[in-house]
PDB file of all heavy atoms in Angstrom:
ATOM      1  N   ILE A1276      46.975 -44.479 -13.679  1.00 95.00           N
ATOM      2  CA  ILE A1276      47.046 -44.440 -15.144  1.00 95.00           C
ATOM      3  C   ILE A1276      45.747 -43.870 -15.692  1.00 95.00           C
ATOM      4  O   ILE A1276      44.648 -44.278 -15.281  1.00 95.00           O
ATOM      5  CB  ILE A1276      47.291 -45.847 -15.712  1.00 95.00           C
ATOM      6  CG1 ILE A1276      48.654 -46.369 -15.257  1.00 95.00           C
ATOM      7  CG2 ILE A1276      47.217 -45.841 -17.241  1.00 95.00           C
ATOM      8  CD1 ILE A1276      48.915 -47.812 -15.645  1.00 95.00           C
ATOM      9  N   SER A1277      45.844 -42.932 -16.603  1.00 95.00           N
ATOM     10  CA  SER A1277      44.660 -42.321 -17.224  1.00 95.00           C
ATOM     11  C   SER A1277      44.155 -43.213 -18.352  1.00 95.00           C
ATOM     12  O   SER A1277      44.850 -43.408 -19.351  1.00 95.00           O
ATOM     13  CB  SER A1277      45.003 -40.937 -17.762  1.00 95.00           C
ATOM     14  OG  SER A1277      45.391 -40.069 -16.725  1.00 95.00           O
ATOM     15  N   LYS A1278      42.963 -43.741 -18.181  1.00 94.00           N
ATOM     16  CA  LYS A1278      42.362 -44.591 -19.214  1.00 94.00           C
ATOM     17  C   LYS A1278      41.695 -43.768 -20.306  1.00 94.00           C
ATOM     18  O   LYS A1278      41.533 -44.228 -21.442  1.00 94.00           O
ATOM     19  CB  LYS A1278      41.338 -45.541 -18.585  1.00 94.00           C
ATOM     20  CG  LYS A1278      41.916 -46.461 -17.518  1.00 94.00           C
ATOM     21  CD  LYS A1278      42.970 -47.384 -18.113  1.00 94.00           C
ATOM     22  CE  LYS A1278      43.540 -48.342 -17.057  1.00 94.00           C
ATOM     23  NZ  LYS A1278      44.553 -49.259 -17.629  1.00 94.00           N
ATOM     24  N   SER A1279      41.310 -42.544 -19.957  1.00 93.00           N
ATOM     25  CA  SER A1279      40.716 -41.609 -20.917  1.00 93.00           C
ATOM     26  C   SER A1279      40.810 -40.209 -20.329  1.00 93.00           C
ATOM     27  O   SER A1279      41.333 -40.022 -19.219  1.00 93.00           O
ATOM     28  CB  SER A1279      39.254 -41.974 -21.200  1.00 93.00           C
ATOM     29  OG  SER A1279      38.466 -41.733 -20.052  1.00 93.00           O
ATOM     30  N   LEU A1280      40.271 -39.222 -21.024  1.00 92.00           N
ATOM     31  CA  LEU A1280      40.329 -37.852 -20.525  1.00 92.00           C
ATOM     32  C   LEU A1280      39.496 -37.646 -19.270  1.00 92.00           C
ATOM     33  O   LEU A1280      39.711 -36.687 -18.514  1.00 92.00           O
ATOM     34  CB  LEU A1280      39.876 -36.873 -21.609  1.00 92.00           C
ATOM     35  CG  LEU A1280      40.877 -36.576 -22.732  1.00 92.00           C
ATOM     36  CD1 LEU A1280      40.273 -35.633 -23.758  1.00 92.00           C
ATOM     37  CD2 LEU A1280      42.169 -35.984 -22.169  1.00 92.00           C
ATOM     38  N   ILE A1281      38.521 -38.524 -19.027  1.00 93.00           N
ATOM     39  CA  ILE A1281      37.664 -38.355 -17.845  1.00 93.00           C
ATOM     40  C   ILE A1281      37.840 -39.485 -16.830  1.00 93.00           C
ATOM     41  O   ILE A1281      37.079 -39.581 -15.870  1.00 93.00           O
ATOM     42  CB  ILE A1281      36.178 -38.250 -18.254  1.00 93.00           C
ATOM     43  CG1 ILE A1281      35.747 -39.482 -19.056  1.00 93.00           C
ATOM     44  CG2 ILE A1281      35.926 -36.980 -19.047  1.00 93.00           C
ATOM     45  CD1 ILE A1281      34.250 -39.519 -19.331  1.00 93.00           C
ATOM     46  N   SER A1282      38.831 -40.331 -17.053  1.00 91.00           N
ATOM     47  CA  SER A1282      39.078 -41.431 -16.119  1.00 91.00           C
ATOM     48  C   SER A1282      40.574 -41.552 -15.824  1.00 91.00           C
ATOM     49  O   SER A1282      41.295 -42.237 -16.552  1.00 91.00           O
ATOM     50  CB  SER A1282      38.546 -42.750 -16.686  1.00 91.00           C
ATOM     51  OG  SER A1282      38.825 -43.827 -15.820  1.00 91.00           O
ATOM     52  N   PRO A1283      41.070 -40.844 -14.790  1.00 94.00           N
ATOM     53  CA  PRO A1283      40.339 -39.988 -13.842  1.00 94.00           C
ATOM     54  C   PRO A1283      40.076 -38.603 -14.429  1.00 94.00           C
ATOM     55  O   PRO A1283      40.717 -38.204 -15.404  1.00 94.00           O
ATOM     56  CB  PRO A1283      41.290 -39.915 -12.653  1.00 94.00           C
ATOM     57  CG  PRO A1283      42.642 -40.026 -13.272  1.00 94.00           C
ATOM     58  CD  PRO A1283      42.493 -40.977 -14.417  1.00 94.00           C
ATOM     59  N   ILE A1284      39.182 -37.853 -13.807  1.00 97.00           N
ATOM     60  CA  ILE A1284      38.796 -36.535 -14.301  1.00 97.00           C
ATOM     61  C   ILE A1284      39.953 -35.536 -14.235  1.00 97.00           C
ATOM     62  O   ILE A1284      39.955 -34.522 -14.951  1.00 97.00           O
ATOM     63  CB  ILE A1284      37.570 -36.004 -13.508  1.00 97.00           C
ATOM     64  CG1 ILE A1284      36.931 -34.803 -14.220  1.00 97.00           C
ATOM     65  CG2 ILE A1284      37.976 -35.685 -12.075  1.00 97.00           C
ATOM     66  CD1 ILE A1284      36.371 -35.118 -15.589  1.00 97.00           C
ATOM     67  N   THR A1285      40.949 -35.807 -13.388  1.00 95.00           N
ATOM     68  CA  THR A1285      42.105 -34.912 -13.296  1.00 95.00           C
ATOM     69  C   THR A1285      42.850 -34.808 -14.635  1.00 95.00           C
ATOM     70  O   THR A1285      43.557 -33.824 -14.872  1.00 95.00           O
ATOM     71  CB  THR A1285      43.083 -35.397 -12.212  1.00 95.00           C
ATOM     72  OG1 THR A1285      43.359 -36.785 -12.412  1.00 95.00           O
ATOM     73  CG2 THR A1285      42.516 -35.190 -10.823  1.00 95.00           C
ATOM     74  N   THR A1286      42.686 -35.812 -15.493  1.00 96.00           N
ATOM     75  CA  THR A1286      43.314 -35.756 -16.822  1.00 96.00           C
ATOM     76  C   THR A1286      42.741 -34.599 -17.628  1.00 96.00           C
ATOM     77  O   THR A1286      43.487 -33.822 -18.233  1.00 96.00           O
ATOM     78  CB  THR A1286      43.095 -37.078 -17.583  1.00 96.00           C
ATOM     79  OG1 THR A1286      43.414 -38.184 -16.739  1.00 96.00           O
ATOM     80  CG2 THR A1286      43.940 -37.131 -18.840  1.00 96.00           C
ATOM     81  N   LEU A1287      41.426 -34.470 -17.621  1.00 97.00           N
ATOM     82  CA  LEU A1287      40.774 -33.374 -18.340  1.00 97.00           C
ATOM     83  C   LEU A1287      41.131 -32.033 -17.725  1.00 97.00           C
ATOM     84  O   LEU A1287      41.428 -31.067 -18.441  1.00 97.00           O
ATOM     85  CB  LEU A1287      39.254 -33.573 -18.337  1.00 97.00           C
ATOM     86  CG  LEU A1287      38.430 -32.500 -19.069  1.00 97.00           C
ATOM     87  CD1 LEU A1287      38.815 -32.431 -20.550  1.00 97.00           C
ATOM     88  CD2 LEU A1287      36.939 -32.773 -18.908  1.00 97.00           C
ATOM     89  N   TYR A1288      41.110 -31.962 -16.392  1.00 96.00           N
ATOM     90  CA  TYR A1288      41.466 -30.709 -15.719  1.00 96.00           C
ATOM     91  C   TYR A1288      42.902 -30.292 -16.071  1.00 96.00           C
ATOM     92  O   TYR A1288      43.179 -29.111 -16.314  1.00 96.00           O
ATOM     93  CB  TYR A1288      41.333 -30.861 -14.201  1.00 96.00           C
ATOM     94  CG  TYR A1288      39.934 -31.088 -13.708  1.00 96.00           C
ATOM     95  CD1 TYR A1288      39.699 -31.738 -12.485  1.00 96.00           C
ATOM     96  CD2 TYR A1288      38.830 -30.661 -14.448  1.00 96.00           C
ATOM     97  CE1 TYR A1288      38.411 -31.948 -12.021  1.00 96.00           C
ATOM     98  CE2 TYR A1288      37.539 -30.875 -13.989  1.00 96.00           C
ATOM     99  CZ  TYR A1288      37.333 -31.524 -12.783  1.00 96.00           C
ATOM    100  OH  TYR A1288      36.055 -31.731 -12.318  1.00 96.00           O
ATOM    101  N   SER A1289      43.807 -31.250 -16.083  1.00 96.00           N
ATOM    102  CA  SER A1289      45.205 -30.953 -16.399  1.00 96.00           C
ATOM    103  C   SER A1289      45.351 -30.476 -17.832  1.00 96.00           C
ATOM    104  O   SER A1289      46.104 -29.529 -18.112  1.00 96.00           O
ATOM    105  CB  SER A1289      46.080 -32.196 -16.166  1.00 96.00           C
ATOM    106  OG  SER A1289      46.052 -32.592 -14.818  1.00 96.00           O
ATOM    107  N   LEU A1290      44.635 -31.118 -18.760  1.00 96.00           N
ATOM    108  CA  LEU A1290      44.693 -30.708 -20.162  1.00 96.00           C
ATOM    109  C   LEU A1290      44.185 -29.281 -20.329  1.00 96.00           C
ATOM    110  O   LEU A1290      44.804 -28.464 -21.031  1.00 96.00           O
ATOM    111  CB  LEU A1290      43.870 -31.672 -21.024  1.00 96.00           C
ATOM    112  CG  LEU A1290      43.792 -31.338 -22.516  1.00 96.00           C
ATOM    113  CD1 LEU A1290      45.181 -31.354 -23.160  1.00 96.00           C
ATOM    114  CD2 LEU A1290      42.857 -32.303 -23.245  1.00 96.00           C
ATOM    115  N   ILE A1291      43.072 -28.956 -19.679  1.00 97.00           N
ATOM    116  CA  ILE A1291      42.513 -27.595 -19.757  1.00 97.00           C
ATOM    117  C   ILE A1291      43.509 -26.587 -19.177  1.00 97.00           C
ATOM    118  O   ILE A1291      43.730 -25.511 -19.753  1.00 97.00           O
ATOM    119  CB  ILE A1291      41.164 -27.522 -19.012  1.00 97.00           C
ATOM    120  CG1 ILE A1291      40.110 -28.359 -19.753  1.00 97.00           C
ATOM    121  CG2 ILE A1291      40.698 -26.074 -18.878  1.00 97.00           C
ATOM    122  CD1 ILE A1291      38.798 -28.505 -18.993  1.00 97.00           C
ATOM    123  N   ALA A1292      44.120 -26.946 -18.057  1.00 96.00           N
ATOM    124  CA  ALA A1292      45.108 -26.048 -17.430  1.00 96.00           C
ATOM    125  C   ALA A1292      46.289 -25.808 -18.364  1.00 96.00           C
ATOM    126  O   ALA A1292      46.743 -24.663 -18.513  1.00 96.00           O
ATOM    127  CB  ALA A1292      45.580 -26.640 -16.105  1.00 96.00           C
ATOM    128  N   TRP A1293      46.785 -26.871 -19.015  1.00 96.00           N
ATOM    129  CA  TRP A1293      47.908 -26.714 -19.944  1.00 96.00           C
ATOM    130  C   TRP A1293      47.522 -25.828 -21.126  1.00 96.00           C
ATOM    131  O   TRP A1293      48.307 -24.962 -21.543  1.00 96.00           O
ATOM    132  CB  TRP A1293      48.381 -28.076 -20.453  1.00 96.00           C
ATOM    133  CG  TRP A1293      49.324 -28.775 -19.532  1.00 96.00           C
ATOM    134  CD1 TRP A1293      49.163 -29.991 -18.946  1.00 96.00           C
ATOM    135  CD2 TRP A1293      50.583 -28.279 -19.065  1.00 96.00           C
ATOM    136  NE1 TRP A1293      50.231 -30.288 -18.147  1.00 96.00           N
ATOM    137  CE2 TRP A1293      51.126 -29.263 -18.207  1.00 96.00           C
ATOM    138  CE3 TRP A1293      51.310 -27.119 -19.289  1.00 96.00           C
ATOM    139  CZ2 TRP A1293      52.360 -29.109 -17.576  1.00 96.00           C
ATOM    140  CZ3 TRP A1293      52.534 -26.945 -18.648  1.00 96.00           C
ATOM    141  CH2 TRP A1293      53.049 -27.929 -17.813  1.00 96.00           C
ATOM    142  N   LEU A1294      46.333 -26.020 -21.669  1.00 97.00           N
ATOM    143  CA  LEU A1294      45.889 -25.212 -22.812  1.00 97.00           C
ATOM    144  C   LEU A1294      45.772 -23.744 -22.424  1.00 97.00           C
ATOM    145  O   LEU A1294      46.134 -22.847 -23.195  1.00 97.00           O
ATOM    146  CB  LEU A1294      44.555 -25.736 -23.346  1.00 97.00           C
ATOM    147  CG  LEU A1294      44.604 -27.121 -24.019  1.00 97.00           C
ATOM    148  CD1 LEU A1294      43.206 -27.584 -24.395  1.00 97.00           C
ATOM    149  CD2 LEU A1294      45.506 -27.086 -25.251  1.00 97.00           C
ATOM    150  N   MET A1295      45.297 -23.477 -21.217  1.00 97.00           N
ATOM    151  CA  MET A1295      45.174 -22.092 -20.740  1.00 97.00           C
ATOM    152  C   MET A1295      46.551 -21.457 -20.561  1.00 97.00           C
ATOM    153  O   MET A1295      46.775 -20.298 -20.944  1.00 97.00           O
ATOM    154  CB  MET A1295      44.389 -22.059 -19.424  1.00 97.00           C
ATOM    155  CG  MET A1295      42.915 -22.403 -19.568  1.00 97.00           C
ATOM    156  SD  MET A1295      42.064 -22.523 -17.970  1.00 97.00           S
ATOM    157  CE  MET A1295      42.225 -20.843 -17.364  1.00 97.00           C
ATOM    158  N   ILE A1296      47.493 -22.201 -19.981  1.00 96.00           N
ATOM    159  CA  ILE A1296      48.849 -21.674 -19.784  1.00 96.00           C
ATOM    160  C   ILE A1296      49.519 -21.396 -21.122  1.00 96.00           C
ATOM    161  O   ILE A1296      50.157 -20.353 -21.313  1.00 96.00           O
ATOM    162  CB  ILE A1296      49.696 -22.667 -18.950  1.00 96.00           C
ATOM    163  CG1 ILE A1296      49.142 -22.785 -17.531  1.00 96.00           C
ATOM    164  CG2 ILE A1296      51.160 -22.211 -18.903  1.00 96.00           C
ATOM    165  CD1 ILE A1296      49.764 -23.906 -16.721  1.00 96.00           C
ATOM    166  N   ILE A1297      49.366 -22.329 -22.071  1.00 96.00           N
ATOM    167  CA  ILE A1297      49.968 -22.153 -23.397  1.00 96.00           C
ATOM    168  C   ILE A1297      49.363 -20.944 -24.104  1.00 96.00           C
ATOM    169  O   ILE A1297      50.085 -20.120 -24.695  1.00 96.00           O
ATOM    170  CB  ILE A1297      49.778 -23.431 -24.244  1.00 96.00           C
ATOM    171  CG1 ILE A1297      50.615 -24.576 -23.662  1.00 96.00           C
ATOM    172  CG2 ILE A1297      50.162 -23.187 -25.701  1.00 96.00           C
ATOM    173  CD1 ILE A1297      50.299 -25.931 -24.261  1.00 96.00           C
ATOM    174  N   PHE A1298      48.040 -20.798 -24.030  1.00 96.00           N
ATOM    175  CA  PHE A1298      47.365 -19.654 -24.662  1.00 96.00           C
ATOM    176  C   PHE A1298      47.840 -18.336 -24.058  1.00 96.00           C
ATOM    177  O   PHE A1298      48.129 -17.375 -24.777  1.00 96.00           O
ATOM    178  CB  PHE A1298      45.845 -19.797 -24.502  1.00 96.00           C
ATOM    179  CG  PHE A1298      45.079 -18.622 -25.034  1.00 96.00           C
ATOM    180  CD1 PHE A1298      44.875 -18.471 -26.400  1.00 96.00           C
ATOM    181  CD2 PHE A1298      44.570 -17.647 -24.177  1.00 96.00           C
ATOM    182  CE1 PHE A1298      44.171 -17.376 -26.904  1.00 96.00           C
ATOM    183  CE2 PHE A1298      43.877 -16.557 -24.661  1.00 96.00           C
ATOM    184  CZ  PHE A1298      43.677 -16.425 -26.036  1.00 96.00           C
ATOM    185  N   LEU A1299      47.958 -18.299 -22.729  1.00 96.00           N
ATOM    186  CA  LEU A1299      48.425 -17.080 -22.052  1.00 96.00           C
ATOM    187  C   LEU A1299      49.854 -16.749 -22.455  1.00 96.00           C
ATOM    188  O   LEU A1299      50.167 -15.587 -22.766  1.00 96.00           O
ATOM    189  CB  LEU A1299      48.343 -17.272 -20.540  1.00 96.00           C
ATOM    190  CG  LEU A1299      48.908 -16.132 -19.679  1.00 96.00           C
ATOM    191  CD1 LEU A1299      48.095 -14.849 -19.895  1.00 96.00           C
ATOM    192  CD2 LEU A1299      48.909 -16.523 -18.200  1.00 96.00           C
ATOM    193  N   ALA A1300      50.721 -17.767 -22.470  1.00 96.00           N
ATOM    194  CA  ALA A1300      52.123 -17.531 -22.800  1.00 96.00           C
ATOM    195  C   ALA A1300      52.289 -16.995 -24.220  1.00 96.00           C
ATOM    196  O   ALA A1300      53.100 -16.093 -24.466  1.00 96.00           O
ATOM    197  CB  ALA A1300      52.918 -18.823 -22.636  1.00 96.00           C
ATOM    198  N   ILE A1301      51.516 -17.532 -25.155  1.00 95.00           N
ATOM    199  CA  ILE A1301      51.582 -17.071 -26.552  1.00 95.00           C
ATOM    200  C   ILE A1301      50.999 -15.670 -26.674  1.00 95.00           C
ATOM    201  O   ILE A1301      51.534 -14.818 -27.407  1.00 95.00           O
ATOM    202  CB  ILE A1301      50.865 -18.061 -27.482  1.00 95.00           C
ATOM    203  CG1 ILE A1301      51.620 -19.399 -27.506  1.00 95.00           C
ATOM    204  CG2 ILE A1301      50.746 -17.501 -28.898  1.00 95.00           C
ATOM    205  CD1 ILE A1301      50.916 -20.493 -28.278  1.00 95.00           C
ATOM    206  N   SER A1302      49.924 -15.407 -25.943  1.00 96.00           N
ATOM    207  CA  SER A1302      49.231 -14.110 -26.051  1.00 96.00           C
ATOM    208  C   SER A1302      50.099 -12.941 -25.582  1.00 96.00           C
ATOM    209  O   SER A1302      50.041 -11.851 -26.157  1.00 96.00           O
ATOM    210  CB  SER A1302      47.933 -14.137 -25.234  1.00 96.00           C
ATOM    211  OG  SER A1302      47.064 -15.134 -25.717  1.00 96.00           O
ATOM    212  N   ILE A1303      50.911 -13.163 -24.548  1.00 94.00           N
ATOM    213  CA  ILE A1303      51.688 -12.056 -23.978  1.00 94.00           C
ATOM    214  C   ILE A1303      53.168 -12.137 -24.345  1.00 94.00           C
ATOM    215  O   ILE A1303      53.993 -11.443 -23.744  1.00 94.00           O
ATOM    216  CB  ILE A1303      51.530 -12.015 -22.444  1.00 94.00           C
ATOM    217  CG1 ILE A1303      52.123 -13.272 -21.795  1.00 94.00           C
ATOM    218  CG2 ILE A1303      50.071 -11.848 -22.063  1.00 94.00           C
ATOM    219  CD1 ILE A1303      52.128 -13.223 -20.275  1.00 94.00           C
ATOM    220  N   ARG A1304      53.497 -12.954 -25.350  1.00 93.00           N
ATOM    221  CA  ARG A1304      54.916 -13.193 -25.658  1.00 93.00           C
ATOM    222  C   ARG A1304      55.655 -11.929 -26.077  1.00 93.00           C
ATOM    223  O   ARG A1304      56.845 -11.783 -25.774  1.00 93.00           O
ATOM    224  CB  ARG A1304      55.050 -14.263 -26.737  1.00 93.00           C
ATOM    225  CG  ARG A1304      54.578 -13.842 -28.116  1.00 93.00           C
ATOM    226  CD  ARG A1304      54.565 -14.996 -29.081  1.00 93.00           C
ATOM    227  NE  ARG A1304      54.232 -14.582 -30.436  1.00 93.00           N
ATOM    228  CZ  ARG A1304      53.011 -14.335 -30.868  1.00 93.00           C
ATOM    229  NH1 ARG A1304      51.983 -14.446 -30.027  1.00 93.00           N
ATOM    230  NH2 ARG A1304      52.790 -13.967 -32.119  1.00 93.00           N
ATOM    231  N   LYS A1305      54.972 -11.000 -26.761  1.00 91.00           N
ATOM    232  CA  LYS A1305      55.657  -9.786 -27.214  1.00 91.00           C
ATOM    233  C   LYS A1305      55.889  -8.820 -26.054  1.00 91.00           C
ATOM    234  O   LYS A1305      56.903  -8.125 -26.013  1.00 91.00           O
ATOM    235  CB  LYS A1305      54.863  -9.105 -28.327  1.00 91.00           C
ATOM    236  CG  LYS A1305      54.850  -9.914 -29.624  1.00 91.00           C
ATOM    237  CD  LYS A1305      54.125  -9.177 -30.734  1.00 91.00           C
ATOM    238  CE  LYS A1305      54.151  -9.983 -32.024  1.00 91.00           C
ATOM    239  NZ  LYS A1305      53.427  -9.311 -33.126  1.00 91.00           N
ATOM    240  N   LYS A1306      54.954  -8.811 -25.123  1.00 92.00           N
ATOM    241  CA  LYS A1306      55.085  -7.933 -23.966  1.00 92.00           C
ATOM    242  C   LYS A1306      56.095  -8.501 -22.974  1.00 92.00           C
ATOM    243  O   LYS A1306      56.921  -7.772 -22.419  1.00 92.00           O
ATOM    244  CB  LYS A1306      53.725  -7.749 -23.300  1.00 92.00           C
ATOM    245  CG  LYS A1306      53.749  -6.784 -22.123  1.00 92.00           C
ATOM    246  CD  LYS A1306      52.364  -6.608 -21.529  1.00 92.00           C
ATOM    247  CE  LYS A1306      52.395  -5.639 -20.360  1.00 92.00           C
ATOM    248  NZ  LYS A1306      51.039  -5.484 -19.747  1.00 92.00           N
ATOM    249  N   THR A1307      56.035  -9.806 -22.755  1.00 92.00           N
ATOM    250  CA  THR A1307      56.956 -10.470 -21.825  1.00 92.00           C
ATOM    251  C   THR A1307      57.168 -11.917 -22.282  1.00 92.00           C
ATOM    252  O   THR A1307      56.359 -12.793 -21.949  1.00 92.00           O
ATOM    253  CB  THR A1307      56.435 -10.416 -20.368  1.00 92.00           C
ATOM    254  OG1 THR A1307      57.272 -11.232 -19.543  1.00 92.00           O
ATOM    255  CG2 THR A1307      55.000 -10.857 -20.259  1.00 92.00           C
ATOM    256  N   PRO A1308      58.212 -12.164 -23.042  1.00 95.00           N
ATOM    257  CA  PRO A1308      58.445 -13.504 -23.596  1.00 95.00           C
ATOM    258  C   PRO A1308      58.989 -14.521 -22.604  1.00 95.00           C
ATOM    259  O   PRO A1308      59.155 -15.685 -22.950  1.00 95.00           O
ATOM    260  CB  PRO A1308      59.474 -13.237 -24.699  1.00 95.00           C
ATOM    261  CG  PRO A1308      60.216 -12.028 -24.249  1.00 95.00           C
ATOM    262  CD  PRO A1308      59.209 -11.190 -23.521  1.00 95.00           C
ATOM    263  N   VAL A1309      59.268 -14.097 -21.366  1.00 96.00           N
ATOM    264  CA  VAL A1309      59.875 -15.005 -20.388  1.00 96.00           C
ATOM    265  C   VAL A1309      58.947 -16.177 -20.068  1.00 96.00           C
ATOM    266  O   VAL A1309      59.403 -17.312 -19.902  1.00 96.00           O
ATOM    267  CB  VAL A1309      60.256 -14.241 -19.104  1.00 96.00           C
ATOM    268  CG1 VAL A1309      60.741 -15.206 -18.019  1.00 96.00           C
ATOM    269  CG2 VAL A1309      61.334 -13.213 -19.414  1.00 96.00           C
TER     270      VAL A1309
END
């Protein structure tokens, strides 16, 4: 169970990964919306 964003640290890593994926998907949506 994640008690905070850094406990365990994988919570923060996962959040950063999700934000990067979301940013990439939005950025290239017109070129490739899949």
Side-chain angles (χ1 to χ4, degrees):
I1276 296 174
S1277 297
K1278 301 297 181 179
S1279 69
L1280 284 178
I1281 57 173
S1282 178
I1284 194 63
T1285 50
T1286 312
L1287 181 60
Y1288 294 155
S1289 298
L1290 178 61
I1291 292 172
W1293 277 121
L1294 292 175
M1295 291 174 63
I1296 294 170
I1297 292 169
F1298 176 78
L1299 175 64
I1301 294 174
S1302 299
I1303 65 174
R1304 69 188 185 281
K1305 291 183 179 179
K1306 183 178 180 181
T1307 172
V1309 173

